């Protein structure tokens, strides 16, 4: 800790005075949940968990910490997957009490929310006025929108609507010195100087703390059709995507893939799962067409596209949901895949992207390399194929010791990330860098780009108090990655 | 000039050696076109116009200037409208020779181009592979893509495809110290640290020089229908937009407005213009539906939407083009409006945006305030209503002295920008800040946001050599705005 015990005591007393005793938690059992990240890979330490109730209170908290020289980690739902929210001895600033939907304006197709609003509640507030907030991912029931934006979250709606970044019109941010930047504009066009919001989106709390945002809303689809497709290979899946994206353009709202192994473990471990197709296929795709046009027939369109796929040999078999319940059942096969991997033992994970034209090559090369490295290892490569983003996960060989397997994490990172890098891809497609990939970024990132990041960090947070040691380490005193 | 004559001589000699004599222009007649901006509002000075032929030569040029302490202004087509490309005694770095389309990849829906490629040539290269690069604006025949990105250009396709910023996947940038940042990735998802490309897009050459970019391509629309609509008021136009954008969603690819005065001066001054509707209407809208779906009937859709508009009293009259020639004729009525204003004498211009829900209020209030300020003044408020972006231009009273009228520019800026600011709008929606709005930005910008911009500028360009004095002035020695 770079600050003294006295400093810590004085800071806690100041914060208690500013926020009230019950919003400054210091008891071990109260702060425990904030110290561990969602996969249990890291455990940190903290002086306190502080729960300000307004933007002004966030600003006062940050100012007090800044004056004391004590680092701050912002947390929303603490659902991140890269250790970005793990604290190292400073203050955890919870945004949970900033949970107000400030306004919904259908006329501007915009909603203004505070950082602590749960993602599903943003979706619900949009739905209430007959509109759509498309951002959607597995943890949406507990993830808070401030974290979604701070990590530029992806998910299943990126194909048609973009990443979290693309859904933001304006931001309110508390800076490292406790000042408030008010960039809460509901404008579709604004070239009044540098676009500061893009600095903070995806910066994982290292440049400032997002306290509120103006988000885009969209017309709600009036119809959707979901298909589950059996394919001979990932290469066929990518080719089917190319055909469908040309024919359906923005009506193609999802194109997700999984291997046979993925479907089998969902059917085995997720209660209520129903086998969607009679035969077995090497690869499966979940595809969705949606339309906001009253006269659209997404079912007919989808049938036509899949029939064409069968004709030109890409598709082996396919089914289309005939009710919303069936559609939900097909989606569940994809959504449950994240969870059921746990039941198969240790899983070494990669969240990578490559240019779409290299995706099939990547999957073939990386699969072969990993299987060669450890016979019996089971590749579970699945996810957002339409975005070129694959969760290239590796389930352990049956019967191997889990801890011994997970100790090989670094070795497989090197194999997979080398191939990604050679294909001009990204080693951090949608989950971010945080702690878990900081050293990987230092290894694979463009050195000039890394230097730019450090300069930006130093310019906005000169004392390195905002989530220090995440994304880029500024000095030698940056905390090392601390596994549990 | 903050550098000596000797320094200048040595620098020119170095550049001649690096690039060859014929690419370092110093004769007054050779450099004259680079000193004036496109509306003739400012005239600058320069030591030389330098024409590097590759990214490496751009880097060498910047390094030489950096070492000599001589400022650099990057220029593409020099078509900017805010004086952002006007030099003040340093070097003009022309990107015109970096005019190579490096690659087109339909499989990645991406094209990689150098900064000097003319926008229309990017469109043509996309068209050659059956795809669409949607960015489109009046000067596309001479504007170069590096400038489009450096200014985050808007134009007529923003409604469906976004600003220039939204069309960028990756960038290559020469930094202030001459290093090259290679961020030329063709990825749809990349959360590997701060998103540096968004720093440079829209920074008007003040943070670095964009030398190449990977841009998104889209499926080409298979059909389009264009309508020209007569309306009783701007308020009715905004309401029609709301109805149409809900019904057509992303098929609505344009919604432009102009007042009766605008249509009349186009019909008067633009040869070949044909009056689109028999009667007179207070406001006109040009609307376009496009679709990439083979079975779409945009004509029927548009007819239905305009019929509904007539039924609920928003639309007074409308026509729909029945051939591509007719569509082009209707578009020409809108496109020629920028140009024909010149024929009506002096024009005081504002490029503003407000939230869509305030657009009608803005137009009513600003029109009334300006007409009150100077009876006889003719408001020509037109543009991208669907984006909330209006070119709120004011043609002089008939018979008034043009220079005397233009001397009132600042007075009308104050009136219009006060109303924009009160409505949480932007005083620089799509043309940028440059020189012409730098002092307005200092006046209306959030002070914390302005401080952030200065910090970013100082971090990336510590010696203030990249297009100094544009967007934000760093020191007291920043060049003042110098009208011709």
């Amino acid at each position: 800790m770079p600050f003294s015990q006295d400093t810590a005591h004085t800071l806690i007393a100041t914060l208690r005075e500013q926020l009230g005793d019950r919003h400054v938690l210091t008891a071990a059992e109260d702060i425990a949940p904030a110290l561990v990240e969602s996969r249990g890979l890291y455990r940190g330490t903290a002086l306190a968990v502080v729960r300000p109730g307004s933007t002004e209170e966030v600003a006062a908290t940050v100012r007090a910490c800044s004056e004391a020289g004590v680092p701050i980690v912002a947390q929303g739902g603490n659902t991140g997957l890269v250790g970005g929210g793990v604290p190292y001895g400073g203050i955890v600033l919870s945004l949970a009490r900033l949970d107000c939907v400030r306004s919904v304006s259908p006329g501007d197709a915009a909603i203004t929310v505070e950082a602590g609003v749960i993602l599903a509640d943003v979706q619900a507030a949009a739905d209430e006025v007959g509109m759509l907030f498309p951002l959607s991912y597995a943890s949406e029931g507990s993830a808070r929108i401030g974290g979604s934006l701070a990590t530029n979250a992806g998910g299943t709606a990126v194909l048609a609507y973009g990443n979290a970044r693309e859904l933001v019109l304006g931001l309110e941010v508390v800076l490292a010195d406790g000042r408030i930047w008010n960039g809460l504009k509901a404008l579709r066009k604004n070239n009044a100087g540098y676009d500061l919001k893009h600095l903070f989106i995806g910066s994982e709390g290292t440049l400032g703390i997002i306290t509120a945002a103006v988000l885009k809303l969209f017309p709600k689809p009036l119809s959707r059709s979901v298909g589950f497709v059996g394919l001979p290979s990932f290469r066929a899946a990518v080719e089917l995507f190319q055909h469908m994206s040309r024919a359906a353009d923005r009506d193609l709202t999802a194109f997700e893939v999984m291997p046979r192994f993925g479907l089998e473990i969902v059917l085995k471990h997720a209660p209520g799962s129903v086998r969607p197709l009679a035969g077995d296929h090497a690869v499966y795709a979940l595809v969705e067409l949606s339309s906001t046009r009253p006269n659209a027939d997404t079912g007919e369109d989808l049938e036509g596209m899949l029939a064409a796929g069968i004709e030109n040999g890409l598709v082996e078999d396919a089914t289309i949901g005939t009710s919303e319940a069936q559609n939900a059942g097909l989606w569940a096969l994809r959504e449950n895949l994240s969870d059921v991997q746990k039941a198969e033992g240790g899983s070494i994970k990669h969240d990578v992207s490559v240019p779409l034209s290299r995706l099939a090559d990547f999957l073939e090369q990386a699969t072969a390399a990993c299987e060669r490295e450890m016979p019996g290892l089971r590749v579970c490569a699945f996810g957002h194929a339409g975005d070129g983003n694959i969760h290239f996960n590796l389930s352990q060989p049956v019967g191997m010791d889990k801890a011994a397997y997970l100790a090989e994490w670094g070795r497989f990172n090197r194999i997979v990330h080398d191939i990604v890098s050679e294909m001009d891809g990204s080693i951090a497609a949608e989950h971010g860098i945080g702690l878990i990939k900081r050293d990987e970024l230092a290894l694979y990132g463009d050195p000039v780009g890394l230097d730019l990041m450090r300069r930006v960090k130093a310019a906005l947070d000169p004392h390195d108090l905002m989530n220090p040691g995440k994304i880029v380490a500024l000095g030698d005193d940056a905390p090392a990655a601390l596994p549990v």
Side-chain angles (χ1 to χ4, degrees), chain A:
Chain A
M1 266 191 283
F3 50 88
S4 71
Q5 284 282 66
D6 272 5
T7 299
H9 283 303
T10 312
L11 173 62
I12 298 295
T14 304
L15 293 174
R16 285 192 195 285
E17 204 166 302
Q18 283 173 346
L19 308 178
D21 280 1
R22 67 198 183 96
H23 297 307
V24 181
L25 313 177
T26 52
E29 66 273 23
D30 292 339
I31 68 172
L35 304 183
V36 193
E37 55 81 62
S38 61
R39 282 178 184 153
L41 293 175
Y42 300 101
R43 179 183 306 280
T45 61
L47 292 178
V49 173
V50 175
R51 299 159 37 90
S54 65
T55 300
E56 290 67 31
E57 287 192 358
V58 174
T61 303
V62 173
R63 207 157 39 236
C65 290
S66 165
E67 283 162 9
V70 173
I72 306 172
V73 180
Q75 279 188 7
N78 197 18
T79 60
L81 296 171
V82 291
V86 179
Y88 284 90
I91 295 291
V92 173
L93 190 157
S94 164
L95 277 306
R97 288 179 63 221
L98 274 77
D99 61 351
C100 179
V101 175
R102 289 195 191 161
S103 67
V104 190
S105 174
D108 294 315
I111 184 170
T112 305
V113 295
E114 293 185 340
V117 179
I118 287 174
L119 174 51
D121 293 338
V122 183
Q123 296 165 353
D127 192 67
E128 258 176 47
V129 297
M131 299 194 78
L132 173 76
F133 181 65
L135 188 67
S136 175
Y137 50 91
S139 60
E140 64 194 22
S142 51
R144 296 178 190 269
I145 189 71
S148 312
L149 303 182
T151 58
N152 184 31
T156 50
V158 173
L159 190 60
Y161 298 96
N163 293 283
R165 178 184 302 285
E166 273 86 47
L167 305 175
V168 178
L169 294 172
L171 284 186
E172 178 187 85
V173 178
V174 171
L175 305 180
D177 56 10
R179 287 181 302 167
I180 300 167
W181 170 54
N182 181 353
L184 280 179
K185 301 234 184 212
L187 303 174
R188 302 282 156 171
K189 275 183 173 175
N190 183 11
N191 274 343
Y194 308 151
D195 196 323
L196 298 170
K197 66 177 181 292
H198 284 299
L199 259 181
F200 296 103
I201 300 167
S203 71
E204 304 185 24
T206 62
L207 301 178
I209 298 175
I210 296 170
T211 50
V214 188
L215 305 169
K216 293 183 193 171
L217 299 179
F218 295 84
K220 231 162 107 170
L222 300 173
S223 59
R224 73 160 179 172
S225 297
V226 178
F228 207 89
V229 185
L231 300 131
S233 64
F234 277 117
R235 197 166 291 280
V238 173
E239 207 174 319
L240 177 65
F241 170 75
Q242 299 282 15
H243 284 285
M244 289 187 68
S245 84
R246 254 164 237 161
D249 195 12
R250 308 206 203 184
D251 281 6
L252 183 61
T253 44
F255 195 100
E256 303 279 316
V257 296
M258 62 171 77
R260 182 174 167 189
F261 170 69
L263 180 63
E264 293 305 328
I265 63 176
V266 170
L267 294 171
K268 184 171 166 195
H269 301 294
S273 298
V274 177
R275 185 175 292 277
L277 300 170
D280 288 325
H281 306 275
V283 171
Y284 297 89
L286 180 138
V287 300
E288 182 188 272
L289 295 189
S290 308
S291 178
T292 57
R293 295 178 311 282
N295 56 353
D297 189 338
T298 52
E300 192 184 294
D301 290 349
L302 183 55
E303 221 178 294
M305 291 175 206
L306 295 180
I310 290 175
E311 237 165 79
N312 53 33
L314 298 174
V315 172
E316 293 178 338
D317 194 9
T319 181
I320 296 178
T322 56
S323 67
E324 265 307 299
Q326 279 190 18
N327 288 343
L330 295 176
W331 261 111
L333 296 173
R334 161 65 185 85
E335 282 163 350
N336 287 324
L337 182 50
S338 302
D339 212 42
V340 297
Q341 292 169 86
K342 284 183 201 133
E344 293 290 323
S347 171
I348 293 174
K349 296 177 191 295
H350 308 83
D351 164 39
V352 303
S353 64
V354 294
L356 211 59
S357 61
R358 306 304 305 275
L359 187 56
D361 293 342
F362 165 75
L363 287 160
E364 287 173 9
Q365 288 182 33
T367 299
C370 291
E371 288 177 346
R372 202 162 48 229
E373 187 73 11
M374 188 183 285
L377 162 153
R378 297 161 300 163
V379 174
C380 186
F382 71 100
H384 321 297
D387 310 320
N389 172 202
I390 291 293
H391 300 304
F392 194 82
N393 293 353
L394 306 169
S395 280
Q396 64 170 75
V398 176
M400 184 175 176
D401 176 67
K402 183 176 169 182
Y405 177 68
L406 291 180
E408 305 296 334
W409 196 296
R411 184 150 63 107
F412 284 102
N413 269 191
R414 194 64 48 251
I415 293 169
V416 175
H417 291 169
D418 274 356
I419 298 172
V420 165
S421 181
E422 190 270 320
M423 291 183 177
D424 266 333
S426 172
I427 61 162
E430 66 171 4
H431 298 160
I433 295 293
L435 202 52
I436 201 172
K437 287 187 185 163
R438 188 192 66 193
D439 298 343
E440 292 292 292
L441 178 63
L443 197 59
Y444 290 101
D446 176 73
V448 177
L450 287 167
D451 178 61
L452 279 173
M453 290 184 204
R454 277 187 221 102
R455 284 188 192 213
V456 168
K457 169 74 171 166
L460 267 65
D461 179 23
H463 305 299
D464 197 19
L465 295 177
M466 306 304 281
N467 205 5
K470 312 295 165 58
I471 300 185
V472 282
L474 271 200
D476 295 336
D477 58 342
L482 289 182
V484 166

